[in-house]
Amino acid sequence: MAPVGKISGFHREGNDWFCNASLPSDITVVVDEVNFHLHKFPLISRCGKIATDIEESQTNSDKTLTVTLEEFPGGADTFFIIVKFCYNGRVEFTPRNIVILYCAADYLDMTDDYGEDNLLSKSENFFHKHILRQWKDCILALQSCELVITRADKLQIINRCMNALTVMICTDPSLFGWPMMMYGSLQSPGGSILWNGINTGAKIHSNESDWWFEDISYLCVELFERLIRTMESKGIRPENLSRAIMYYCKKYLPGLGRWQGGQSGNLRTVASFSMTPATVDQSALLKSVIKLLPEKKGKSFCRFLLGLLRVALILGVNNTCQDILEKRIGEQLEFATLDSLLIPSYSDSDTLYNSDCVERMIHHFVSSEPSLTSTSPSSSFDLDTSPASGRLKRVAKLVDNYIAEVASDVNLKPGKIRSLAEALPESSRSLHDGLYRALDIYFKAHSWLSDKEREQLCSIIDFQKLSIDACAHASQNERLPLRIVLQVLFFEQMQLRTALAGCMHVMDAESAPAASLSGQRVQRDGWVTVVRENQVLKVGMERMRSRVGELEEEFGKIKEEMKKVTKSHSHLSSPRFISRGIGCKLLPRSSDAQRDVLESTVSTPRASVEQARPSTRHSWHRKSSSLF
């Protein structure tokens, strides 16, 4: 074996490696279609697996023995390092190759039974003394486990790395090694900034809770998930874990940071300057993240979930992931914003936005609050004082704004508008101004809707819950059906009457005890002014009531005239007589005259209403710009 000990190296010819020795090779080891022409004695003196294979295939033939190593950790390059070790060559351990060499030594059974201070024990010592005590080296070693996860698990390499990283995260990061690269400056173990190796005494003031986000983001999805679960089991705060998950997702899911309305920023990093980003399957990442995310609520977290939902819809992941995201968003829908709810339709739908998804989230919100689903008659009265009242009102306002935003879509069906509005209980809206504004936008964008369809949509509005300004606008809105306008006028009158009665009641209750005291004359004079103003309002109401009666009377006369025209049409031959009888101009044909009569009957009440409220039209236009 002396000639072999004098070898000066190896050389390669194509896919064949040869050692520079005088003795011919007597064994060929095949690794990933690369042939190593070697000698038996150096291999069997170190590798238990090869020694066993040689014993099992021993024959009297003089032919060279061939051994094939299937699924060898690290491939041909790693085996070449082991070959040099077997031929008494020097092996240099690094954080990048220690895990591969460790697994390869275990694969070949290179224990101390086949030579003192063998490769397996060397790898174990280096891993324990150097890798598990340094943050950077531990991260690099864990990243290299991606290629040999199964065997690394068998050797407890991954678990030991993750436990070590978790301990370091809970400890001062300046103790993990000296010096450390942070923010482009060297830092001593005491936390001072170094300049040319000299301690300047300056301290780095920063939040230590996020310095590790960037480094662990270079791990693959499987290792990242396992590391997060290890941290969770060791007591790392859920807030930090959720922020780390959000940082990881924003790095590998394009556009997620933009939808979240913020940037990840430059966080403190230790090892990432010498690492390469992981290759991440976005669909697998989504599935893992959904399982990892803790139970948390808040504006930023809700926006993050909505961003994940957008990505899930774009990638077309399975419905289970979408359902989980929609449910979690629905449970905290009060933290959502309008821009994050405007999710485009990524399918073949004709509509611009995915309103079906939003409707399902609204239903999840309602079902998540038991007080909202109660059917007790007194539940509506207790809602204003319940803790869910604030959440419900915020969601109702958000839904009304969402409907108003998507209402301009010409392909949006009336049924979808109705289902979105009715997804919340009736008691969720103290005012229906938002619904009225959304319907007005919808009617403007869908001018072809019939009066019947408009009346059906208007039925979702409780006109008793419209403000005075909204009633004034609705009473003159030409896009509303005539029957709805008359209904608005009625409820507007009722509101004025109620307000007047309330003022009179308060005035009577306060002015009675004040009449006997001379010191309260100023207060009484103020109430006299209020009474006078109320009397003016009362006179205006009486005028409006009389005008509405005149309109109804005029409308009845027109209907009677139409009946007379219909009865006399069979025996009257002159069209001029018909036009003179109903007060219309002479038209060329009787059919045209009759059509003009119908138009005049429809338009006359609305015009009369506009004449009855000349001052309200201008005041509404001045106020509508701020309210609607």
Side-chain angles (χ1 to χ4, degrees):
M1 194 56 204
V4 176
K6 297 179 180 180
I7 61 173
S8 59
F10 298 83
H11 68 278
R12 184 171 183 172
E13 299 177 2
N15 286 336
D16 296 276
W17 278 97
F18 300 91
C19 65
N20 301 326
S22 58
L23 292 177
S25 63
D26 54 2
I27 184 173
T28 300
V29 181
V30 182
V31 179
D32 293 346
E33 300 181 355
V34 177
N35 304 315
F36 293 85
H37 303 277
L38 307 171
H39 303 86
K40 294 180 182 179
F41 181 74
L43 296 181
I44 62 177
S45 63
R46 290 289 189 180
C47 304
K49 177 177 175 56
I50 294 179
T52 302
D53 291 343
I54 291 176
E55 291 179 1
E56 292 177 354
S57 60
Q58 189 69 37
T59 61
N60 295 328
S61 175
D62 294 334
K63 296 181 179 180
T64 302
L65 181 64
T66 300
V67 177
T68 302
L69 301 179
E70 301 289 345
E71 299 180 356
F72 185 77
D77 295 337
T78 302
F79 185 74
F80 179 68
I81 298 175
I82 292 178
V83 168
K84 291 192 295 182
F85 176 81
C86 294
Y87 280 81
N88 296 324
R90 180 184 176 185
V91 175
E92 181 181 359
F93 294 105
T94 67
R96 296 182 185 276
N97 69 7
I98 179 60
V99 174
I100 302 297
L101 290 176
Y102 197 164
C103 294
D106 178 72
Y107 179 92
L108 294 174
D109 195 16
M110 299 179 71
T111 63
D112 289 348
D113 295 337
Y114 296 90
E116 185 179 356
D117 200 15
N118 208 346
L119 185 60
L120 188 61
S121 59
K122 280 179 171 291
S123 301
E124 171 63 27
N125 291 334
F126 183 86
F127 179 79
H128 180 73
K129 291 181 179 180
H130 297 87
I131 300 301
L132 296 181
R133 298 183 181 183
Q134 303 289 334
W135 170 268
K136 172 184 174 181
D137 295 343
C138 194
I139 286 286
L140 292 173
L142 187 59
Q143 188 187 36
S144 64
C145 291
E146 181 179 355
L147 302 175
V148 288
I149 288 182
T150 303
R151 191 166 291 274
D153 268 336
K154 173 189 172 184
L155 297 172
Q156 296 295 316
I157 294 176
I158 296 178
N159 289 338
R160 285 188 286 175
C161 284
M162 290 183 176
N163 290 331
L165 291 175
T166 303
V167 173
M168 294 178 195
I169 288 174
C170 300
T171 314
D172 185 358
S174 62
L175 301 177
F176 303 157
W178 183 88
M180 295 175 60
M181 181 66 69
M182 292 186 176
Y183 296 114
S185 301
L186 293 177
Q187 185 181 14
S188 69
S192 302
I193 301 176
L194 301 180
W195 180 77
N196 289 339
I198 302 174
N199 190 344
T200 63
K203 298 288 184 177
I204 295 179
H205 299 282
S206 63
N207 183 10
E208 300 292 345
S209 62
D210 58 1
W211 60 267
W212 45 276
F213 290 177
E214 175 67 14
D215 291 335
I216 68 170
S217 68
Y218 285 85
L219 301 176
C220 65
V221 176
E222 182 177 355
L223 293 178
F224 178 81
E225 179 181 353
R226 293 179 59 175
L227 179 58
I228 293 296
R229 294 195 181 281
T230 302
M231 293 179 181
E232 183 180 8
S233 64
K234 298 298 182 180
I236 301 293
R237 291 189 303 172
E239 294 80 6
N240 286 344
L241 294 181
S242 61
R243 291 174 57 207
I245 295 170
M246 293 165 66
Y247 186 91
Y248 188 87
C249 292
K250 288 163 64 176
K251 184 172 184 175
Y252 294 105
L253 297 177
L256 187 59
R258 173 174 57 84
W259 290 325
Q260 282 192 264
Q263 297 181 355
S264 59
N266 295 323
L267 298 180
R268 175 175 297 190
T269 176
V270 179
S272 57
F273 64 91
S274 59
M275 297 175 66
T276 55
T279 303
V280 172
D281 183 358
Q282 295 181 351
S283 298
L285 173 58
L286 273 175
K287 296 176 183 178
S288 297
V289 165
I290 292 173
K291 295 183 293 184
L292 285 176
L293 286 175
E295 294 295 333
K296 180 182 176 182
K297 292 184 179 181
K299 290 184 178 179
S300 60
F301 191 69
C302 183
R303 194 176 186 89
F304 172 71
L305 292 177
L306 284 164
L308 288 181
L309 182 59
R310 286 175 183 257
V311 176
L313 293 172
I314 293 174
L315 298 178
V317 297
N318 55 51
N319 294 331
T320 303
C321 294
Q322 296 182 25
D323 294 341
I324 295 175
L325 286 172
E326 289 174 1
K327 185 177 184 297
R328 297 198 62 177
I329 296 170
E331 292 173 350
Q332 51 184 310
L333 192 59
E334 69 272 15
F335 296 112
T337 56
L338 178 59
D339 60 329
S340 59
L341 279 184
L342 295 174
I343 304 174
S345 293
Y346 300 106
S347 59
D348 297 332
S349 176
D350 295 333
T351 57
L352 295 176
Y353 299 104
N354 193 338
S355 55
D356 295 335
C357 178
V358 175
E359 184 180 353
R360 288 193 294 268
M361 288 189 284
I362 297 174
H363 287 299
H364 285 306
F365 169 77
V366 175
S367 61
S368 66
E369 191 63 48
S371 60
L372 302 182
T373 57
S374 176
T375 58
S376 175
S378 60
S379 61
S380 59
F381 298 99
D382 297 337
L383 184 62
D384 292 337
T385 59
S386 66
S389 176
R391 299 179 60 216
L392 186 59
K393 290 180 179 179
R394 288 195 295 269
V395 173
K397 183 178 180 180
L398 177 65
V399 172
D400 291 347
N401 291 334
Y402 177 82
I403 297 174
E405 190 68 27
V406 302
S408 57
D409 184 4
V410 295
N411 293 322
L412 191 64
K413 303 300 182 184
K416 179 53 63 177
I417 292 286
R418 189 180 190 91
S419 60
L420 284 171
E422 294 179 344
L424 290 172
E426 296 180 0
S427 56
S428 60
R429 298 175 177 91
S430 57
L431 280 179
H432 279 212
D433 289 10
L435 273 182
Y436 168 70
R437 171 177 172 265
L439 286 186
D440 189 38
I441 297 174
Y442 186 76
F443 291 156
K444 185 176 181 180
H446 301 75
S447 56
W448 57 86
L449 291 177
S450 63
D451 283 349
K452 182 179 180 181
E453 292 176 318
R454 293 170 188 263
E455 289 180 4
Q456 290 176 350
L457 277 180
C458 288
S459 64
I460 64 177
I461 300 178
D462 186 355
F463 293 99
Q464 298 185 64
K465 293 184 178 182
L466 289 182
S467 64
I468 298 295
D469 293 333
C471 284
H473 185 275
S475 63
Q476 302 177 70
N477 192 345
E478 296 180 354
R479 289 184 285 271
L480 295 180
L482 180 59
R483 181 179 300 178
I484 300 300
V485 173
L486 293 176
Q487 189 176 356
V488 171
L489 286 173
F490 173 76
F491 286 117
E492 184 180 15
Q493 181 183 0
M494 295 295 295
Q495 287 183 2
L496 290 174
R497 179 181 298 176
T498 304
L500 181 60
C503 290
M504 294 294 293
H505 177 73
V506 172
M507 187 270 295
D508 293 339
E510 295 292 336
S511 61
S516 60
L517 299 175
S518 59
Q520 298 182 356
R521 290 179 180 178
V522 177
Q523 183 178 1
R524 182 185 59 186
D525 294 340
W527 280 113
V528 170
T529 304
V530 174
V531 172
R532 290 175 182 175
E533 293 177 355
N534 290 336
Q535 289 177 352
V536 174
L537 291 176
K538 187 174 182 180
V539 171
M541 289 175 52
E542 294 296 334
R543 290 178 180 176
M544 182 181 295
R545 184 185 304 171
S546 61
R547 185 54 183 160
V548 171
E550 292 175 1
L551 289 175
E552 294 175 353
E553 184 178 355
E554 183 179 352
F555 189 68
K557 291 180 179 180
I558 292 174
K559 291 175 63 176
E560 292 178 1
E561 291 292 340
M562 289 180 59
K563 292 179 180 179
K564 293 179 180 180
V565 170
T566 305
K567 293 179 179 180
S568 60
H569 180 71
S570 59
H571 62 273
L572 292 179
S573 58
S574 174
R576 189 176 302 275
F577 179 81
I578 299 175
S579 61
R580 188 182 301 112
I582 62 175
C584 298
K585 293 182 179 180
L586 180 62
L587 299 178
R589 296 188 301 274
S590 60
S591 59
D592 295 339
Q594 189 173 0
R595 182 168 58 253
D596 283 351
V597 171
L598 294 175
E599 293 176 354
S600 65
T601 59
V602 175
S603 61
T604 299
R606 187 183 304 274
S608 302
V609 173
E610 294 175 355
Q611 295 174 5
R613 302 177 58 85
S615 60
T616 311
R617 175 190 300 270
H618 301 289
S619 62
W620 168 256
H621 286 294
R622 288 194 299 268
K623 298 177 181 178
S624 60
S625 59
S626 61
L627 295 176
F628 298 96

